C-alpha cells in the first residue's frame, strides 16, 4: 500500500458519447469540482453526434479551456478512450472513464484518485448500481441488481473493497493501459472485461473499491434490452475465443438457454423435450415472485421477464459469435 496524495497526481477524464444533448452539460457541470481539485481536464470523445451534443461541448469549452472536444470517427467507446489517451495521455498519470448516460456522486473522481494513491492499484473499478424511471426500466433494474440478472457478479452487487479480476471501469494508470495495448477496438461490447484479462495476465493489479459507485440506467424497452444483451453475449464469446479461456459457472448457466429453447421444438416427437425450457421459465418467474414477496418489491414478476430477455439474448449472441468464428476458420 502507498500513501501517495491524489493532489500529486494528474488525471484526464474521458467521456465517450454519441447524441447525448440531454445529459452532457449537467454531467460536465457535475465534474467541475474534480477539475479544480485534481488539476484535471475533460475530453469529450464524440462519435459523430447529429443532435446538439457537439455544439453544447464547444460552448462549454469556450468558457472553460480545460474541456476539450475530440472527434471519434470509429464511433466505438473503446476507440474513443484509445484515441483520447493517445492524444493527451503523455501529460497525465491516470485517466478516468465516465459514461455519458450514467450518474455519479459529486466526489466520484476525487475518491477514485484517493483509492489509487492509497492502494497503489493500476486500475480502480467500481460497483454499478442500476435504477430506472419507467416501469420496464425499474423492473430491469431489479433484475440486473439481483442474482437472477447478474449471476452474483461482485461489481453488479457491490462488495467490500478487494483485489479483483474485473469490475466496471473507472480509473486506470495510463502506463498500464498503454503497456497492454489499450482497448481492443474489434470489441463493440465486453471490451472492459477483455482488457482486464490482459491486465491480470501482465501482472497489473485491479482494485474494486467500496468507497464509491456509479448509477446506470437500463434500456427502456424489450427490443433495446435484447439488442444490448445480444452484443454482450457476442462480446463474451469473442473474449473467450481470443484468449482460449473457460467461462465461469455463472456465465455457463445462461449459455444453455438457447439450446434448450431450440430443443423444445423436439416436443413434437417427445413431450419430455419441453421440460428444460419449462424449468428455466418457471425458475425465473418463481424468483420474480420471491422478489415481490420476500423483498416487497412489486416489480419482481416483471423483473423475471426482463431477466428472461437478458438470458435469451446473451445466450443467442454467444452462440452466434461461436458459429461465426467457426465459419470464419473453415473459410480460411
Amino acid at each position: 500500500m502507498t500513501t501517495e496524495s491524489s493532489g500529486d497526481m494528474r488525471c484526464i477524464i474521458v467521456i465517450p458519447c454519441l447524441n447525448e444533448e440531454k445529459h452532457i452539460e449537467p454531467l460536465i457541470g457535475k465534474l467541475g469540482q474534480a477539475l479544480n481539485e485534481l488539476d484535471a481536464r475533460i475530453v469529450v470523445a464524440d462519435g459523430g453526434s447529429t443532435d446538439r451534443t457537439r455544439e453544447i461541448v464547444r460552448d462549454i469549452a469556450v468558457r472553460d479551456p480545460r474541456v476539450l472536444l475530440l472527434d471519434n470517427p470509429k464511433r466505438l467507446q473503446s476507440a474513443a478512450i484509445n484515441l483520447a489517451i493517445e492524444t493527451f495521455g503523455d501529460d497525465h498519470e491516470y485517466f478516468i472513464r465516465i459514461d455519458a448516460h450514467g450518474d455519479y456522486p459529486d466526489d466520484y473522481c476525487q475518491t477514485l484518485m484517493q483509492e489509487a494513491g492509497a492502494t497503489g492499484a493500476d486500475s480502480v473499478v467500481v460497483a454499478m448500481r442500476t435504477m430506472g424511471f419507467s416501469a420496464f426500466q425499474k423492473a430491469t433494474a431489479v433484475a440486473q441488481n439481483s442474482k437472477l440478472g447478474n449471476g452474483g457478479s461482485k461489481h453488479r452487487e457491490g462488495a467490500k473493497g478487494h483485489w479483483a479480476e474485473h469490475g466496471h471501469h473507472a480509473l486506470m494508470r495510463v502506463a498500464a493501459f498503454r503497456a497492454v495495448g489499450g482497448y481492443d477496438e474489434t470489441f463493440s461490447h465486453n471490451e472492459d472485461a477483455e482488457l482486464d484479462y490482459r491486465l491480470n495476465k501482465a501482472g497489473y493489479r485491479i482494485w474494486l473499491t467500496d468507497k464509491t459507485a456509479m448509477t446506470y440506467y437500463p434500456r427502456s424497452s424489450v427490443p433495446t434490452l435484447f439488442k444490448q444483451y445480444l452484443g454482450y453475449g457476442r462480446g463474451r464469446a469473442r473474449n473467450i475465443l481470443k484468449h482460449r479461456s473457460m467461462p465461469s459457472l455463472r456465465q455457463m448457466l445462461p449459455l444453455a438457454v438457447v439450446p434448450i429453447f431450440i430443443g423444445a421444438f423436439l416436443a413434437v416427437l417427445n413431450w419430455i423435450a419441453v421440460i428444460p425450457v419449462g424449468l428455466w421459465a418457471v425458475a425465473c418467474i418463481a424468483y420474480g415472485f420471491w422478489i415481490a414477496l420476500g423483498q416487497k418489491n412489486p416489480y419482481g414478476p416483471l423483473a423475471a421477464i426482463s431477466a428472461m430477455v437478458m438470458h435469451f439474448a446473451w445466450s443467442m449472441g454467444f452462440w452466434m459469435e461461436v458459429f461465426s468464428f467457426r465459419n470464419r476458420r473453415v473459410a480460411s
Side-chain angles (χ1 to χ4, degrees):
M1 306 286 271
T2 71
T3 56
E4 189 175 8
S5 168
S6 62
D8 298 328
M9 303 179 289
R10 297 194 68 206
C11 77
I12 181 172
I13 302 168
V14 185
I15 309 175
C17 76
L18 177 66
N19 294 329
E20 294 288 353
E21 65 179 5
K22 293 181 180 180
H23 305 101
I24 195 66
E25 187 166 13
L27 177 60
I28 294 175
K30 178 168 280 194
L31 296 170
Q33 190 173 345
L35 286 177
N36 295 328
E37 295 183 11
L38 300 177
D39 189 22
R41 64 169 54 177
I42 293 174
V43 175
V44 179
D46 183 80
S49 293
T50 55
D51 62 3
R52 294 185 59 252
T53 299
R54 297 170 67 85
E55 178 185 343
I56 292 169
V57 176
R58 287 194 191 99
D59 288 344
I60 296 172
V62 169
R63 301 192 301 269
D64 189 342
R66 295 172 300 178
V67 178
L68 305 169
L69 177 64
L70 181 66
D71 289 324
N72 172 29
K74 295 183 181 178
R75 300 174 69 88
L76 294 175
Q77 288 187 332
S78 55
I81 303 292
N82 286 350
L83 182 60
I85 301 308
E86 178 185 347
T87 307
F88 302 107
D90 289 348
D91 299 327
H92 301 86
E93 185 174 357
Y94 294 95
F95 74 87
I96 294 174
R97 173 174 172 168
I98 296 290
D99 295 323
H101 211 45
D103 196 11
Y104 303 84
D106 291 339
D107 62 350
Y108 181 75
C109 295
Q110 296 91 314
T111 302
L112 292 174
M113 291 292 282
Q114 289 166 5
E115 285 285 83
T119 64
D122 299 294
S123 174
V124 178
V125 295
V126 297
M128 184 166 63
R129 299 163 184 163
T130 310
M131 62 179 295
F133 296 105
S134 68
F136 183 77
Q137 268 192 320
K138 290 178 179 178
T140 301
V142 170
Q144 293 178 342
N145 289 330
S146 73
K147 287 184 172 60
L148 182 64
N150 64 45
S153 171
K154 296 295 185 184
H155 77 276
R156 282 285 191 172
E157 293 190 326
K160 190 172 182 179
H162 64 279
W163 297 107
E165 293 185 355
H166 175 53
H168 184 77
H169 279 191
L171 174 147
M172 197 173 299
R173 195 184 300 272
V174 170
F177 182 79
R178 286 176 162 175
V180 298
Y183 286 116
D184 184 338
E185 295 179 11
T186 65
F187 281 68
S188 61
H189 296 77
N190 210 234
E191 77 281 354
D192 53 352
E194 194 280 328
L195 178 59
D196 283 346
Y197 182 92
R198 285 184 280 125
L199 285 171
N200 281 296
K201 282 292 186 182
Y204 294 105
R205 299 186 303 164
I206 300 171
W207 177 256
L208 176 57
T209 180
D210 60 350
K211 299 294 193 302
T212 191
M214 65 90 64
T215 300
Y216 171 76
Y217 300 102
R219 298 299 190 267
S220 58
S221 68
V222 169
T224 54
L225 181 66
F226 185 93
K227 182 179 179 181
Q228 180 186 31
Y229 273 78
L230 190 76
Y232 284 163
R234 297 200 73 146
R236 175 54 63 180
R238 286 179 64 85
N239 197 347
I240 290 171
L241 291 167
K242 176 179 177 178
H243 297 291
R244 301 181 184 276
S245 57
M246 285 294 294
S248 64
L249 178 61
R250 70 179 181 83
Q251 293 163 350
M252 292 178 69
L253 290 175
L255 286 183
V257 171
V258 164
I260 65 174
F261 183 85
I262 294 173
F265 287 99
L266 295 176
V268 297
L269 302 177
N270 191 323
W271 66 271
I272 294 177
V274 80
I275 291 178
V277 72
L279 290 174
W280 164 67
V282 168
C284 290
I285 293 170
Y287 198 102
F289 276 97
W290 177 84
I291 291 174
L293 298 174
Q295 301 180 14
K296 295 182 172 55
N297 191 320
Y299 293 99
L302 186 55
I305 304 303
S306 293
M308 291 170 72
V309 171
M310 293 187 290
H311 293 171
F312 189 88
W314 195 94
S315 181
M316 176 178 284
F318 188 98
W319 290 113
M320 285 173 62
E321 186 62 33
V322 167
F323 286 113
S324 175
F325 176 80
R326 180 178 178 275
N327 290 338
R328 290 195 299 268
R329 291 192 62 180
V330 170
S332 62

